[in-house]
Amino acid sequence: MAPVTSLASTVDQRIADALSAALPEAGSADPLLRRSDRADFQANGILALAKKLKGNPRELAGQVVAALADNDVIKEIEVSGPGFLNITLTDRAIVGTLAARAADDRLGVPFAAHPGTTVIDYAQPNVAKEMHVGHLRSAVIGAAMVEILEFTGEKVVRRHHIGDWGTQFGMLIQYLTEHPHELDHQGGDIDGETAMSNLNRLYKASRALFDSDEEFKARSRDRVVALQAGDKETLALWQKFVDESKIYFYSVFDKLDMEIHDPDVVGESGYNDMLEETCRILEETGVAVRSEGALCVFFDDVLGPDGNQVPLIVKKSNGGYGYAATDLSAIRDRVGRLDATTLLYVVDARQALHFRMVFETARRAGWLGEGTKAVQLAFGTVLGKDGKPFKTREGETVRLEDLLDEAVERATAVVRDKARDLTEQEIAERGTQVGIGAVKYADLSTSAVRDYKFDLDQMVSLNGDTSVYIQYAYARIQSIVRKAGDVRPAPHPEVELAPAERALGLHLDQFGEVLAEVAAAYEPHKLAAYLYQLASLFTTFYDQCPVLKAESPALVENRLFLCDLTARTLKQGLALLGIRSPERL
């Protein structure tokens, strides 16, 4: 089915045509159309145009109104203030456009005009280390952008750049060499909690030995050299740590209701074979230079407190590679082998300078050309209720699993309190969907770059800007549909719409435009805001417009139609944010 032209686009074109007809000297002027409290839309472009043409804005506005061709879209148009146009649409146009959306599985949302290939780097835990609250935002924001971009037609390649390389593995591998059965699984498969318990135990034991035994420390350092040299036995033991960590990672991602696939996990180690060549190219092309034995890239605008340039260190003076070498090699791989047109990094805002330097280096080297862009989708910090970085009472970083378990526990209590005809199994299932949804929505409803307070009481509330409020609106619609029995939703363009119906309909029609804006700017919080407003408008509609007890069969069917399209839009929107929509709550 062809994409549905939104009402805003239709009106914008009609006003633009009238502008050209009435004021040909204006050229292709922008009507500057926006939603309005005074009417359905307001066009503000004539004010700027009057200054350009040195005319009276109200007179010019009157000429535009006179030039507007008769049509079945605009019901009324009036000149207001200094030349604003207040525009009211016909009920028939609103219902007709919504009917076209409802007839399409994609709700009339068009695909992007020029889709490309985006590689999204997100959800980057570290091997042999527990995931904590700091890992939440990259995973949740990244997963939402994957879904949103794919829905617009973009080809998306997922990349989980896990921390699976470095000097700490020398200590761990050496300990495992001397205690070879520490990671054996006697009973076959293990769960994530057991895997992390094994890794924690090994880390603590090896760390204690490393700090107390100089000979073990020396053997551990030799083991790092063997690892970097590709020694087969050392690599096999390293792989054990990676595999054990993946069991744990996947169990946490499963709790987050996120799918992570093995081919998408390409950690730091995945670019080892490229590091030396990356350094050689940078040095030969003069992009990087030697400074005090290290291979560095300098920038005129990156200065330290002393006024001297602070370099991006690609290769250390001792021959070791910095993070920059891995990140630059990853760019080469993603552009050269994966044909990426966009590289999107969902990474903590505190790494902004590093990535700015890496991206600029890649541009100087020619790895990021005109047809390829690199973007950091930077995110802020998760704070506690006190506005400080989120910690346990003991001052330790909060384990991500503990946080998710508590969210599910709180949400289950809310569901149980509201449940009328749910079994215990259904309450548990809904509690999980509501709890995980609440955590995700709290994250996604905040502009990514801002910090936000983690307040579970607020997150699982049925009131206010929460996913629970939106899920409840969806469940309420399903209840109405069940009570309707054999009466089916059907659009009736001939019926007269109440103000609450018009407001709901006009907002439903914006779904595609909102998604396009969210995808272009990587701003999932705008989709969350749209869904919250949609649920709020539905609540007003539900309170003011009886559905099943409406005055006529046509009105009942039309209101059921509005309910159905609202439910489908809420469900699709929540799914793009990675949040479930329970049929009953």
Side-chain angles (χ1 to χ4, degrees):
M1 179 178 170
V4 178
T5 302
S6 72
L7 290 163
S9 295
T10 300
V11 173
D12 190 79
Q13 188 60 54
R14 299 285 170 92
I15 302 298
D17 291 345
L19 271 167
S20 297
L23 308 166
E25 66 273 29
S28 55
D30 186 348
L32 296 179
L33 194 74
R34 63 177 180 83
R35 286 297 307 279
S36 170
D37 293 334
R38 296 173 178 269
D40 295 332
F41 293 98
Q42 188 175 80
N44 300 336
I46 294 173
L47 197 59
L49 196 58
K51 290 180 181 177
K52 179 181 174 184
L53 300 178
K54 296 183 172 55
N56 182 298
R58 283 188 67 87
E59 288 179 10
L60 294 181
Q63 293 176 43
V64 172
V65 171
L68 195 65
D70 289 338
N71 62 82
D72 58 355
V73 175
I74 297 176
K75 177 183 178 181
E76 186 182 345
I77 183 165
E78 66 168 6
V79 179
S80 169
F84 299 143
L85 298 180
N86 288 335
I87 303 156
T88 302
L89 307 189
T90 65
D91 292 344
R92 181 174 290 275
I94 294 173
V95 176
T97 299
L98 295 182
R101 292 200 177 284
D104 179 28
D105 287 343
R106 290 177 53 82
L107 301 172
V109 177
F111 287 105
H114 304 289
T117 298
T118 296
V119 177
I120 300 189
D121 190 325
Y122 70 109
Q124 311 105 342
N126 293 309
V127 165
K129 291 185 179 178
E130 272 191 305
M131 292 177 69
H132 53 77
V133 68
H135 292 107
L136 178 65
R137 302 208 72 186
S138 178
V140 170
I141 296 168
M145 284 313 309
V146 166
E147 297 298 329
I148 291 164
L149 289 173
E150 284 187 336
F151 191 72
T152 66
E154 185 82 353
K155 178 184 176 184
V156 176
V157 180
R158 300 157 174 80
R159 276 294 175 267
H160 306 294
H161 191 85
I162 63 172
D164 65 351
W165 205 248
T167 54
Q168 77 273 19
F169 285 101
M171 177 184 80
L172 290 165
I173 292 168
Q174 186 58 35
Y175 187 86
L176 192 59
T177 303
E178 298 173 14
H179 303 81
H181 301 296
E182 285 292 315
L183 286 182
D184 290 350
H185 300 156
Q186 306 298 336
D189 292 341
I190 62 167
D191 60 20
E193 193 172 332
T194 305
M196 195 64 244
S197 176
N198 290 342
L199 291 167
N200 272 337
R201 187 184 69 252
L202 253 168
Y203 182 84
K204 287 176 182 175
S206 61
R207 182 85 241 180
L209 199 56
F210 187 87
D211 290 341
S212 64
D213 188 330
E214 288 299 322
E215 291 184 2
F216 176 77
K217 184 181 289 188
R219 294 195 298 274
S220 296
R221 287 173 174 159
D222 290 342
R223 186 62 66 175
V224 174
V225 175
L227 177 65
Q228 292 174 341
D231 175 68
K232 285 186 177 180
E233 180 200 7
T234 304
L235 281 174
L237 292 171
W238 166 81
Q239 189 65 51
K240 274 196 167 192
F241 283 102
V242 174
D243 292 342
E244 195 86 5
S245 297
K246 281 184 178 179
I247 295 170
Y248 164 68
F249 294 158
Y250 292 175
S251 74
V252 178
F253 288 129
D254 189 54
K255 277 191 177 183
L256 261 175
D257 199 15
M258 278 175 53
E259 284 193 6
I260 301 288
H261 302 289
D262 245 28
D264 304 331
V265 180
V266 182
E268 295 169 357
S269 64
Y271 306 101
N272 282 345
D273 294 343
M274 300 177 67
L275 300 180
E276 188 53 44
E277 186 180 32
T278 295
C279 293
R280 179 180 59 76
I281 294 170
L282 291 174
E283 189 165 15
E284 287 179 356
T285 55
V287 173
V289 295
R290 294 282 170 179
S291 175
E292 297 180 16
L295 186 63
C296 303
V297 182
F298 288 92
F299 309 85
D300 292 339
D301 59 345
V302 182
L303 307 175
D306 56 2
N308 293 326
Q309 291 180 326
V310 177
L312 180 72
I313 300 174
V314 184
K315 194 173 186 179
K316 302 170 188 174
S317 57
N318 65 2
Y321 299 101
Y323 286 121
T326 305
D327 288 333
L328 289 164
S329 298
I331 288 175
R332 287 178 56 210
D333 179 69
R334 292 167 183 182
V335 174
R337 189 173 64 84
L338 300 178
D339 296 323
T341 49
T342 301
L343 304 177
L344 183 61
Y345 292 78
V346 188
V347 184
D348 193 314
R350 289 170 291 189
Q351 296 188 45
L353 178 60
H354 169 78
F355 278 99
R356 180 158 70 86
M357 294 163 80
V358 165
F359 296 161
E360 175 58 25
T361 299
R363 275 189 282 272
R364 292 180 186 178
W367 300 326
L368 287 176
E370 283 186 13
T372 310
K373 64 177 180 177
V375 180
Q376 183 192 0
L377 203 179
F379 56 83
T381 305
V382 182
L383 306 175
K385 288 184 184 181
D386 57 3
K388 297 176 181 177
F390 200 18
K391 303 280 187 183
T392 65
R393 288 179 182 175
E394 292 75 31
E396 296 178 0
T397 304
V398 178
R399 294 172 70 239
L400 185 51
E401 275 188 295
D402 292 344
L403 183 145
L404 298 178
D405 288 344
E406 186 177 355
V408 169
E409 187 180 319
R410 298 275 192 97
T412 302
V414 172
V415 172
R416 178 174 282 108
D417 184 55
K418 292 288 179 183
R420 295 291 177 267
D421 53 357
L422 299 181
T423 65
E424 274 301 312
Q425 182 179 342
E426 287 172 330
I427 289 171
E429 182 182 293
R430 304 298 193 281
T432 299
Q433 293 175 346
V434 170
I436 298 303
V439 170
K440 289 183 176 181
Y441 186 84
D443 195 312
L444 293 167
S445 61
T446 304
S447 174
V449 76
R450 289 177 54 198
D451 300 340
Y452 80 96
K453 292 182 182 180
F454 196 92
D455 183 349
L456 273 176
D457 292 329
Q458 173 57 28
M459 288 178 187
V460 299
S461 171
L462 282 164
N463 303 309
D465 187 3
T466 67
S467 61
V468 192
Y469 177 77
I470 300 170
Q471 288 170 321
Y472 188 71
Y474 175 82
R476 174 180 274 172
I477 296 173
Q478 299 314 307
S479 174
I480 294 170
V481 171
R482 286 191 296 271
K483 289 174 183 174
D486 295 334
V487 182
R488 308 308 304 156
H492 285 271
E494 74 280 5
V495 304
E496 185 177 338
L497 298 178
E501 292 175 289
R502 294 178 63 83
L504 180 61
L506 288 167
H507 193 69
L508 282 166
D509 188 54
Q510 291 180 281
F511 185 51
E513 293 173 344
V514 169
L515 283 181
E517 186 181 344
V518 167
Y522 311 120
E523 294 180 324
H525 71 279
K526 290 186 177 177
L527 174 55
Y530 170 85
L531 295 173
Y532 172 61
Q533 190 177 356
L534 179 57
S536 300
L537 288 168
F538 171 77
T539 300
T540 302
F541 157 79
Y542 180 77
D543 290 342
Q544 296 180 5
C545 304
V547 177
L548 302 181
K549 294 182 179 179
E551 293 85 353
S552 68
L555 207 49
V556 171
E557 289 179 348
N558 198 64
R559 286 178 178 173
L560 274 174
F561 162 72
L562 288 173
C563 287
D564 182 64
L565 186 56
T566 299
R568 288 173 59 192
T569 306
L570 288 174
K571 185 172 185 176
Q572 180 64 75
L574 286 174
L576 294 176
L577 296 179
I579 298 171
R580 304 274 180 177
S581 302
E583 300 289 311
R584 297 172 187 262
L585 273 180

